[in-house]
Amino acid sequence: MGVSVPVSRSFENTLVGRHVLSAKDFSSTEISLVLNTARVFEQDANGGREFRALLQGKTLTTAFFEPSTRTRLSFEAAMLRLGGQVSSIQYGRSSSSEKGESLEDMGRILSGYADVVAVRHPGNGSVAAFASTADVPVINAGDGANQHPTQALLDLYTIFMEKRTLDGLTIGFIGDLKYSRTVHSLISLLQHYNVTLHFISHRLLALPDSIKGALAEGGQSFQESGKLGKALAELDVLYVTRVQKERFADSAEYEQANRNYQLNRDTLQHSKPDLILLHPLPRLQEIHPELDSDPRAKYFRQAQNGVYVRMALLALLLGQFPVQRVWATA
Ligand code: NCD
């Protein structure tokens, strides 16, 4: 079976040795490269474990200064599946950030111990500060409300695998569009395709003006509304997010913005039958568990895809590019 992700014709691995700080760092060709490589790894996971020694002798350090389940563990699983090793700091606990060490100093030090570092931190732009002194590739695993590029790549991979194409799709985003870094990153990647965007949120959680401005500048039209309402019937993809309580400076604003919205069988009654529902997870009440067994629910597949996409990124950044296999499946 051929891949259903876009095929790049370039044989060059332009990602080797690079930092991954923002979804904006990727060209269309590079997005194709990552998605095609992920597809090769996904097919291998179902078969012969052909790449189990690809990153032998390489170490990934995960330095997470914010909670995480999927992102950290899927990075670690990805490295281990390719035969590499993992060392990690969790929450910054037991690390010198507790003593006030700067991100720049940490970048310098950790890059002496690892071949690649994945960093999550609550501050916008903090991973770029860490990377500024690191001499190994640094991957932004989420910096505040700013960016989460690896999540966006796995979201895009999931859309391609489920829909076979992006061109012509109408994609809705619902929930916390102000603070959701996964939404901000995915919107950047979607600018490479011919899609229609619909943003649905409480006005206090609307997409930041800077992002709307960039969309308008790029000629991307979009609609905004306060309710799912009529938009639902037009959507091919609905990307759901939780309201990110931890990002509000003002708890009164959180109470006002958080209307505890919930999607369930009833609210999705008039969707297209082949709508796909995505969520970066963790989910709170915004998707009723009754939808988990619904064929439209793809969020658990999406989380699994994180392993293949992170395998692809780790391999490419570290200069291991199973090029023959990538083109063989294309
Ligand atoms: C997201 C994140 O951390 O930004 N989760 C994830 O990485 N899968 C979304 C969230 O926390 O709501």
Side-chain angles (χ1 to χ4, degrees):
M1 187 186 87
V3 283
S4 52
V5 294
V7 175
S8 155
R9 291 290 161 207
S10 166
F11 279 76
E12 206 189 336
N13 175 9
T14 51
L15 293 173
V16 60
R18 289 236 311 254
H19 297 314
V20 174
L21 299 177
S22 166
K24 293 178 205 144
D25 299 345
F26 290 87
S27 67
S28 310
T29 308
E30 287 164 349
I31 296 170
S32 300
L33 181 64
V34 174
L35 302 193
N36 280 286
T37 308
R39 183 66 183 140
V40 170
F41 289 137
E42 179 177 5
Q43 288 177 325
D44 182 60
N46 299 330
R49 308 270 286 150
E50 190 183 331
F51 301 106
R52 86 184 85 181
L54 195 72
L55 296 183
Q56 204 163 34
K58 303 284 185 193
T59 302
L60 161 73
T61 291
T62 51
F64 279 50
F65 302 95
E66 240 191 18
S68 170
T69 303
R70 273 151 294 272
T71 305
R72 187 173 64 80
L73 291 179
S74 65
F75 261 117
E76 296 181 358
M79 192 62 175
L80 295 171
R81 281 192 194 193
L82 293 173
Q85 295 177 338
V86 172
S87 66
S88 69
I89 296 174
Q90 286 169 49
Y91 276 106
R93 256 190 240 137
S94 74
S95 85
S96 288
S97 74
E98 295 285 281
K99 304 180 191 167
E101 186 168 36
S102 71
L103 288 159
E104 287 81 357
D105 279 2
M106 264 188 287
R108 200 173 277 122
I109 300 299
L110 292 195
S111 69
Y113 303 154
D115 300 287
V116 55
V117 186
V119 184
R120 169 172 286 191
H121 193 280
N124 294 6
S126 54
V127 182
F130 182 100
S132 68
T133 52
D135 51 20
V136 298
V138 172
I139 304 172
N140 181 358
D143 62 330
N146 184 36
Q147 282 276 322
H148 193 348
T150 68
Q151 177 72 39
L153 286 162
L154 78 89
D155 296 339
L156 197 65
Y157 182 78
T158 308
I159 299 174
F160 271 115
M161 294 312 294
E162 299 298 332
K163 292 291 188 186
R164 309 274 138 183
T165 181
L166 262 169
D167 284 326
L169 294 186
T170 299
I171 302 177
F173 291 87
I174 187 166
D176 184 347
L177 310 186
K178 181 174 180 183
Y179 294 115
S180 182
R181 54 198 177 193
T182 71
V183 170
H184 303 164
S185 288
L186 182 54
I187 289 173
S188 297
L189 294 186
L190 290 173
Q191 293 322 288
H192 295 277
Y193 306 92
N194 172 27
V195 290
T196 303
L197 301 178
H198 205 124
F199 303 122
I200 304 132
S201 73
H202 186 284
R203 65 184 164 75
L204 291 174
L205 297 175
L207 198 66
D209 287 340
S210 57
I211 299 179
K212 284 192 264 185
L215 287 176
E217 224 169 84
Q220 169 73 55
S221 61
F222 58 88
Q223 284 180 287
E224 283 186 287
S225 37
K227 284 204 178 110
L228 189 52
K230 289 203 187 92
L232 175 66
E234 289 161 28
L235 300 181
D236 300 296
V237 178
L238 179 55
Y239 192 97
V240 187
T241 60
R242 76 183 166 95
V243 177
Q244 308 212 348
K245 187 175 184 178
E246 70 274 26
R247 308 250 179 256
F248 284 80
D250 176 356
S251 61
E253 196 181 26
Y254 167 74
E255 297 304 333
Q256 211 187 332
N258 184 24
R259 290 182 304 189
N260 286 323
Y261 79 98
Q262 186 175 61
L263 302 175
N264 52 38
R265 283 214 187 95
D266 201 37
T267 52
L268 292 184
Q269 206 182 354
H270 301 297
S271 82
K272 289 185 178 174
D274 60 351
L275 169 80
I276 62 167
L277 265 186
L278 301 180
H279 192 309
L281 305 178
R283 154 200 36 198
L284 302 179
Q285 85 299 322
E286 60 276 356
I287 298 182
H288 193 287
E290 72 181 13
L291 285 171
D292 294 357
S293 55
D294 189 292
R296 293 168 292 185
K298 302 294 180 195
Y299 32 89
F300 295 125
R301 275 298 304 271
Q302 182 187 0
Q304 177 60 35
N305 287 339
V307 176
Y308 313 127
V309 170
R310 292 181 171 119
M311 286 168 86
L313 278 168
L314 291 169
L316 292 165
L317 296 180
L318 293 172
Q320 294 294 337
F321 178 29
V323 63
Q324 305 303 352
R325 282 295 308 277
V326 172
W327 306 127
T329 55

